[in-house]
Amino acid sequence: MPSTATSNSSLRLADRFPPNISRTESSTSVYKDFTGTGHADRGHWNDPPSTAFKQPASANNNINVDKRENSEGFAIVDGAMTPNGTLVAETSEMDLEEEIPEGREGRELMVRQILEQVMEQARQANDDKEVKKVEDTGKRVKVLLDQRLCLVDDYLVAKLCRLCVFLKNKQYTEALAVHREIIVTPGYDCESKWLVGIKRVVELAQKN
């Protein structure tokens, strides 16, 4: 019967070596020659698990855009969500320029038509809490359309056209960004009355 010392020694050897390695075999012999090629075909012994580099599925849950992949595997962003959950197409710079008329007369007409259309939609919303705001906004917009639009410079008319295109396409964040560009431009302090109205137009359209 083997001695207790011999049994304990055998157990320690079993703990030190995997079952498929002979006791007499050197533990380093299971590794390949690291000076050659192809030794890392299956990864290095100390490489982190591949799952460490995988992004959890929940990480993309809050992305508010419609995505597809093209033939090369790159994501194509087609549009963005409005606050009420409607998907709208993004207007590229090229599309934006195509929607804006070239002549001054055509641009003024475009601004007039889009602002009047949005204001009419706001009036038809029949929100009792917004009645006074809609009325005041309408008066401010009227100052622009009836008095100032034919007098302001071409730069401002072009900016208003951009704002109106975004407004028509329900891209309210972009419309407000154009509004900010206008109000920080030196020399337009005297236009503040109707500029307040334009911002409210965007806000009313966003609610409706």
Side-chain angles (χ1 to χ4, degrees):
M1 182 174 180
S3 65
T4 303
T6 303
S7 298
N8 291 339
S9 177
S10 299
L11 288 173
R12 285 195 295 272
L13 286 172
D15 290 339
R16 290 172 56 189
F17 297 102
N20 60 340
I21 299 179
S22 170
R23 296 182 194 174
T24 58
E25 183 181 8
S26 171
S27 60
T28 59
S29 64
V30 298
Y31 297 107
K32 295 183 178 181
D33 180 8
F34 291 102
T35 61
T37 59
H39 68 272
D41 291 341
R42 296 185 179 180
H44 293 288
W45 66 272
N46 61 345
D47 284 346
S50 59
T51 54
F53 301 101
K54 292 183 178 179
Q55 188 177 21
S58 60
N60 292 324
N61 288 345
N62 296 325
I63 296 180
N64 228 10
V65 295
D66 178 34
K67 287 187 176 180
R68 295 198 313 274
E69 287 188 353
N70 60 16
S71 58
E72 297 176 355
F74 293 99
I76 304 173
V77 179
D78 289 327
M81 293 290 185
T82 61
N84 64 3
T86 303
L87 180 67
V88 295
E90 294 285 2
T91 303
S92 67
E93 191 66 27
M94 183 178 297
D95 293 336
L96 185 66
E97 294 301 326
E98 289 180 354
E99 290 195 54
I100 297 177
E102 293 184 2
R104 169 81 184 224
E105 184 177 351
R107 292 184 174 189
E108 289 184 16
L109 180 61
M110 174 187 178
V111 171
R112 184 180 301 277
Q113 289 177 338
I114 292 177
L115 291 180
E116 287 179 345
Q117 180 182 3
V118 175
M119 283 305 305
E120 184 60 28
Q121 291 172 349
R123 293 187 187 98
Q124 293 177 0
N126 293 324
D127 188 345
D128 294 338
K129 296 180 181 179
E130 299 288 343
V131 170
K132 290 184 177 180
K133 183 176 181 179
V134 171
E135 290 179 354
D136 182 71
T137 301
K139 292 177 182 178
R140 292 175 181 273
V141 172
K142 188 175 177 64
V143 171
L144 168 64
L145 300 183
D146 293 352
Q147 302 175 27
R148 300 300 302 165
L149 187 57
C150 62
L151 300 176
V152 297
D153 57 41
D154 292 342
Y155 172 83
L156 186 49
V157 172
K159 285 292 184 182
L160 286 172
C161 283
R162 292 174 66 88
L163 186 150
C164 286
V165 171
F166 287 131
L167 184 59
K168 183 187 70 173
N169 294 334
K170 303 184 185 302
Q171 293 178 253
Y172 305 116
T173 301
E174 289 80 356
L176 290 173
V178 176
H179 180 270
R180 284 193 295 272
E181 292 175 8
I182 295 174
I183 63 176
V184 299
T185 302
Y188 293 142
D189 298 341
C190 60
E191 312 294 348
S192 59
K193 184 174 183 177
W194 62 263
L195 279 170
V196 171
I198 294 299
K199 183 179 181 181
R200 289 181 182 175
V201 169
V202 179
E203 293 170 348
L204 289 169
Q206 197 168 7
K207 289 181 180 180
N208 297 330

